[in-house]
Amino acid sequence: MIRLAISKGRILEQAIDILSKINVICKYDPLNTRKLIIPTNKRELEIVVIKATDVPLYIDSGKVDLGIVGIDTLLEDSASNYYRLADLEISKCRLVVAGNPGTKYFNNMKVATKYPYAAKSYFEEVGLQCSILKLYGSIELAPVLGLSDFIVDIVESGKTLKENNLKEYDKIADISSLLIANKVSYKFNRTKIETLVSKVINYGK
Ligand code: PRP
Protein backbone atom coordinates (compact mmCIF):
# COMPACT_ATOMS: atom_id res chain seq x y z
CA MET A 1 0.00 0.00 0.00
CA ILE A 2 1.26 3.48 -0.90
CA ARG A 3 0.08 6.25 1.43
CA LEU A 4 0.03 9.80 0.04
CA ALA A 5 -0.24 12.81 2.34
CA ILE A 6 -1.78 15.97 0.95
CA SER A 7 -1.44 19.30 2.77
CA LYS A 8 -4.69 20.83 3.98
CA GLY A 9 -5.66 24.25 2.71
CA ARG A 10 -5.03 25.82 -0.68
CA ILE A 11 -3.02 22.85 -2.01
CA LEU A 12 -5.70 20.24 -1.34
CA GLU A 13 -8.28 21.18 -3.95
CA GLN A 14 -5.72 21.42 -6.78
CA ALA A 15 -3.98 18.20 -5.74
CA ILE A 16 -7.30 16.31 -5.74
CA ASP A 17 -7.99 17.76 -9.18
CA ILE A 18 -4.66 16.41 -10.54
CA LEU A 19 -5.38 12.99 -9.00
CA SER A 20 -8.83 12.83 -10.58
CA LYS A 21 -7.29 13.72 -13.97
CA ILE A 22 -5.05 10.66 -13.71
CA ASN A 23 -8.06 8.60 -12.66
CA VAL A 24 -7.29 8.37 -8.95
CA ILE A 25 -10.64 8.92 -7.32
CA CYS A 26 -11.06 9.28 -3.55
CA LYS A 27 -13.83 7.17 -2.05
CA TYR A 28 -14.81 10.09 0.23
CA ASP A 29 -14.59 13.78 -0.68
CA PRO A 30 -11.36 14.98 1.04
CA LEU A 31 -12.81 18.50 1.25
CA ASN A 32 -15.79 17.34 3.30
CA THR A 33 -15.13 14.03 5.02
CA ARG A 34 -13.83 13.81 8.58
CA LYS A 35 -12.15 10.51 7.70
CA LEU A 36 -8.41 10.74 8.23
CA ILE A 37 -7.41 7.93 5.90
CA ILE A 38 -9.23 8.00 2.57
CA PRO A 39 -9.18 4.96 0.31
CA THR A 40 -9.13 5.50 -3.45
CA ASN A 41 -10.31 3.49 -6.46
CA LYS A 42 -6.70 2.21 -6.69
CA ARG A 43 -6.37 -0.64 -4.23
CA GLU A 44 -2.71 0.18 -3.61
CA LEU A 45 -3.13 3.92 -2.93
CA GLU A 46 -4.68 5.75 0.01
CA ILE A 47 -4.73 9.42 0.90
CA VAL A 48 -4.23 11.19 4.20
CA VAL A 49 -5.03 14.89 4.55
CA ILE A 50 -2.87 16.62 7.15
CA LYS A 51 -1.64 20.05 8.17
CA ALA A 52 1.13 21.17 5.80
CA THR A 53 3.67 21.62 8.58
CA ASP A 54 3.14 18.01 9.70
CA VAL A 55 3.85 16.47 6.26
CA PRO A 56 7.70 16.40 6.57
CA LEU A 57 7.55 14.53 9.90
CA TYR A 58 5.14 11.89 8.55
CA ILE A 59 7.35 11.44 5.48
CA ASP A 60 10.54 11.31 7.53
CA SER A 61 9.07 8.66 9.87
CA GLY A 62 8.01 6.49 6.92
CA LYS A 63 4.41 6.37 8.17
CA VAL A 64 3.55 8.09 4.91
CA ASP A 65 5.30 7.22 1.64
CA LEU A 66 4.53 10.27 -0.50
CA GLY A 67 3.57 13.86 0.21
CA ILE A 68 2.25 16.86 -1.68
CA VAL A 69 3.55 19.92 0.11
CA GLY A 70 4.53 23.52 -0.58
CA ILE A 71 8.15 24.60 -0.94
CA ASP A 72 7.41 27.18 1.80
CA THR A 73 6.80 24.33 4.26
CA LEU A 74 9.90 22.46 3.12
CA LEU A 75 12.05 25.58 3.56
CA GLU A 76 11.28 25.38 7.29
CA ASP A 77 12.16 21.67 7.53
CA SER A 78 15.82 21.44 8.48
CA ALA A 79 15.98 17.61 8.23
CA SER A 80 15.22 17.60 4.45
CA ASN A 81 15.34 13.80 4.44
CA TYR A 82 13.19 13.02 1.40
CA TYR A 83 13.34 12.76 -2.38
CA ARG A 84 11.80 15.55 -4.47
CA LEU A 85 10.04 13.63 -7.24
CA ALA A 86 8.19 16.34 -9.13
CA ASP A 87 7.16 19.98 -9.09
CA LEU A 88 3.37 19.87 -9.51
CA GLU A 89 3.29 23.59 -10.31
CA ILE A 90 0.16 24.12 -8.25
CA SER A 91 -0.57 26.69 -5.52
CA LYS A 92 2.03 28.96 -7.03
CA CYS A 93 2.94 31.99 -4.95
CA ARG A 94 6.04 33.71 -3.58
CA LEU A 95 7.64 34.21 -0.19
CA VAL A 96 8.34 37.90 0.33
CA VAL A 97 9.40 40.58 2.76
CA ALA A 98 6.70 43.24 3.16
CA GLY A 99 5.98 46.13 5.45
CA ASN A 100 4.47 49.58 5.75
CA PRO A 101 5.44 51.89 2.88
CA GLY A 102 8.54 53.98 3.50
CA THR A 103 10.10 51.64 6.06
CA LYS A 104 13.79 50.76 5.65
CA TYR A 105 15.61 47.65 6.91
CA PHE A 106 17.59 48.29 10.13
CA ASN A 107 19.47 46.23 12.69
CA ASN A 108 17.35 44.46 15.29
CA MET A 109 14.10 45.13 13.44
CA LYS A 110 11.10 42.99 14.36
CA VAL A 111 9.93 40.54 11.71
CA ALA A 112 6.62 38.71 12.08
CA THR A 113 6.23 35.45 10.20
CA LYS A 114 5.01 31.87 9.98
CA TYR A 115 8.45 31.10 8.47
CA PRO A 116 11.09 31.86 11.13
CA TYR A 117 13.87 29.82 9.52
CA ALA A 118 13.46 31.33 6.05
CA ALA A 119 13.11 34.83 7.51
CA LYS A 120 16.21 34.54 9.71
CA SER A 121 18.29 33.08 6.84
CA TYR A 122 17.20 35.87 4.49
CA PHE A 123 18.14 38.67 6.90
CA GLU A 124 21.42 36.96 7.80
CA GLU A 125 22.29 36.96 4.11
CA VAL A 126 21.38 40.63 3.89
CA GLY A 127 23.76 41.13 6.86
CA LEU A 128 21.21 42.33 9.40
CA GLN A 129 20.04 40.97 12.71
CA CYS A 130 16.35 40.76 13.43
CA SER A 131 14.10 39.42 16.13
CA ILE A 132 11.52 37.01 14.83
CA LEU A 133 7.93 37.08 16.06
CA LYS A 134 6.37 33.73 15.21
CA LEU A 135 2.71 34.12 14.29
CA TYR A 136 0.23 31.52 13.02
CA GLY A 137 -2.06 33.51 10.72
CA SER A 138 -3.13 36.96 9.45
CA ILE A 139 0.57 37.92 9.43
CA GLU A 140 -0.20 41.21 7.65
CA LEU A 141 -1.84 42.53 10.80
CA ALA A 142 1.52 42.75 12.62
CA PRO A 143 3.04 45.77 10.80
CA VAL A 144 -0.37 47.43 10.46
CA LEU A 145 -0.77 47.45 14.27
CA GLY A 146 2.93 48.12 14.88
CA LEU A 147 3.69 44.71 16.39
CA SER A 148 6.50 44.26 13.85
CA ASP A 149 8.50 46.37 11.40
CA PHE A 150 8.29 43.82 8.58
CA ILE A 151 6.71 40.51 7.73
CA VAL A 152 7.92 37.50 5.78
CA ASP A 153 4.90 35.84 4.24
CA ILE A 154 3.32 34.26 1.21
CA VAL A 155 1.86 36.47 -1.52
CA GLU A 156 -0.41 34.88 -4.10
CA SER A 157 -2.71 37.45 -5.70
CA GLY A 158 -1.27 40.40 -3.73
CA LYS A 159 -4.78 41.30 -2.54
CA THR A 160 -4.06 41.00 1.19
CA LEU A 161 -1.04 43.32 0.95
CA LYS A 162 -2.96 45.82 -1.18
CA GLU A 163 -6.07 45.90 1.01
CA ASN A 164 -3.92 46.53 4.07
CA ASN A 165 -1.73 49.19 2.42
CA LEU A 166 1.45 47.16 2.71
CA LYS A 167 4.40 47.20 0.33
CA GLU A 168 6.39 44.25 -1.00
CA TYR A 169 10.13 44.90 -0.46
CA ASP A 170 11.86 41.75 -1.68
CA LYS A 171 11.17 38.25 -2.97
CA ILE A 172 12.81 35.44 -1.00
CA ALA A 173 11.62 32.47 -3.06
CA ASP A 174 9.16 31.29 -5.69
CA ILE A 175 6.82 28.73 -4.17
CA SER A 176 4.89 25.84 -5.69
CA SER A 177 3.95 22.38 -4.47
CA LEU A 178 6.20 19.35 -4.76
CA LEU A 179 5.59 15.63 -4.72
CA ILE A 180 8.09 14.21 -2.21
CA ALA A 181 8.87 10.67 -1.08
CA ASN A 182 10.30 8.85 1.90
CA LYS A 183 13.69 7.54 0.74
CA VAL A 184 13.31 3.95 1.97
CA SER A 185 9.75 3.68 0.75
CA TYR A 186 10.84 4.96 -2.66
CA LYS A 187 13.44 2.19 -2.95
CA PHE A 188 10.98 -0.54 -1.94
CA ASN A 189 8.08 0.71 -4.08
CA ARG A 190 10.07 2.21 -6.92
CA THR A 191 8.01 0.81 -9.82
CA LYS A 192 4.62 1.74 -8.34
CA ILE A 193 5.82 5.20 -7.31
CA GLU A 194 7.49 5.93 -10.65
CA THR A 195 4.33 4.91 -12.51
CA LEU A 196 2.34 7.34 -10.40
CA VAL A 197 4.94 10.10 -10.81
CA SER A 198 5.03 9.75 -14.60
CA LYS A 199 1.21 9.99 -14.74
CA VAL A 200 1.26 13.06 -12.49
CA ILE A 201 3.98 14.75 -14.56
CA ASN A 202 2.27 14.01 -17.86
CA TYR A 203 -1.39 14.47 -16.93
CA GLY A 204 -1.84 17.69 -18.88
CA LYS A 205 0.10 16.57 -21.96
C1 PRP B 1 -1.97 33.48 3.08
C2 PRP B 1 -0.80 34.39 3.38
C3 PRP B 1 -1.39 35.76 3.17
C4 PRP B 1 -2.42 35.53 2.05
C5 PRP B 1 -1.85 35.99 0.73
O1 PRP B 1 -2.78 33.38 4.20
O2 PRP B 1 -0.33 34.18 4.71
O3 PRP B 1 -2.03 36.24 4.31
O4 PRP B 1 -2.66 34.12 1.99
O5 PRP B 1 -2.73 35.75 -0.34
P1 PRP B 1 -3.06 36.88 -1.42
O6 PRP B 1 -1.76 37.45 -1.89
O7 PRP B 1 -3.79 36.15 -2.51
O8 PRP B 1 -3.91 37.91 -0.75
P2 PRP B 1 -3.91 32.28 4.31
O9 PRP B 1 -5.08 32.65 3.48
O10 PRP B 1 -3.33 30.94 4.03
O11 PRP B 1 -4.37 32.37 5.81
P3 PRP B 1 -3.65 32.88 7.15
O12 PRP B 1 -3.55 34.36 7.06
O13 PRP B 1 -4.55 32.45 8.25
O14 PRP B 1 -2.30 32.23 7.22
Side-chain angles (χ1 to χ4, degrees):
M1 173 64 76
I2 305 283
R3 195 170 288 146
L4 166 66
I6 306 180
S7 304
K8 267 187 198 165
R10 59 183 72 204
I11 292 172
L12 181 59
E13 210 166 324
Q14 293 176 59
I16 293 300
D17 189 45
I18 290 182
L19 290 177
S20 70
K21 283 177 177 146
I22 61 165
N23 194 31
V24 172
I25 310 295
C26 295
K27 296 225 164 145
Y28 302 88
D29 177 2
L31 298 168
N32 290 311
T33 184
R34 301 294 293 174
K35 275 199 175 294
L36 299 172
I37 299 178
I38 306 172
T40 71
N41 60 336
K42 308 287 175 202
R43 239 179 341 113
E44 74 284 8
L45 182 67
E46 64 187 15
I47 308 289
V48 291
V49 178
I50 52 184
K51 212 170 152 57
T53 44
D54 294 339
V55 173
L57 180 60
Y58 275 99
I59 291 283
D60 197 40
S61 68
K63 300 297 173 199
V64 158
D65 308 291
L66 299 173
I68 297 179
V69 64
I71 291 172
D72 52 329
T73 301
L74 296 174
L75 285 175
E76 292 298 303
D77 174 51
S78 50
S80 293
N81 194 24
Y82 48 79
Y83 289 132
R84 296 177 171 219
L85 302 181
D87 186 339
L88 303 183
E89 304 202 15
I90 56 171
S91 296
K92 284 188 167 184
C93 52
R94 56 191 189 274
L95 187 66
V96 309
V97 182
N100 290 307
T103 317
K104 288 206 165 72
Y105 291 174
F106 56 95
N107 240 328
N108 299 320
M109 64 197 146
K110 290 187 212 146
V111 179
T113 187
K114 275 189 270 189
Y115 305 98
Y117 181 78
K120 205 146 190 77
S121 311
Y122 168 82
F123 282 108
E124 267 168 20
E125 239 168 70
V126 169
L128 288 167
Q129 298 206 326
C130 64
S131 51
I132 300 287
L133 307 175
K134 168 92 167 131
L135 295 179
Y136 296 88
S138 304
I139 311 299
E140 293 82 355
L141 188 59
V144 171
L145 294 187
L147 179 70
S148 74
D149 303 297
F150 290 92
I151 59 170
V152 166
D153 199 19
I154 292 299
V155 171
E156 193 172 359
S157 64
K159 206 164 166 230
T160 312
L161 288 185
K162 193 159 180 245
E163 291 194 3
N164 294 288
N165 306 313
L166 293 171
K167 182 174 178 276
E168 186 174 327
Y169 284 97
D170 202 1
K171 181 172 81 173
I172 298 178
D174 284 310
I175 306 293
S176 58
S177 295
L178 304 183
L179 178 62
I180 62 171
N182 172 277
K183 289 183 172 174
V184 176
S185 169
Y186 181 79
K187 281 189 190 112
F188 277 105
N189 299 289
R190 196 172 177 139
T191 313
K192 275 190 212 163
I193 291 177
E194 281 186 349
T195 306
L196 182 71
V197 171
S198 93
K199 283 186 188 161
V200 163
I201 291 173
N202 294 306
Y203 80 93
K205 294 172 189 157

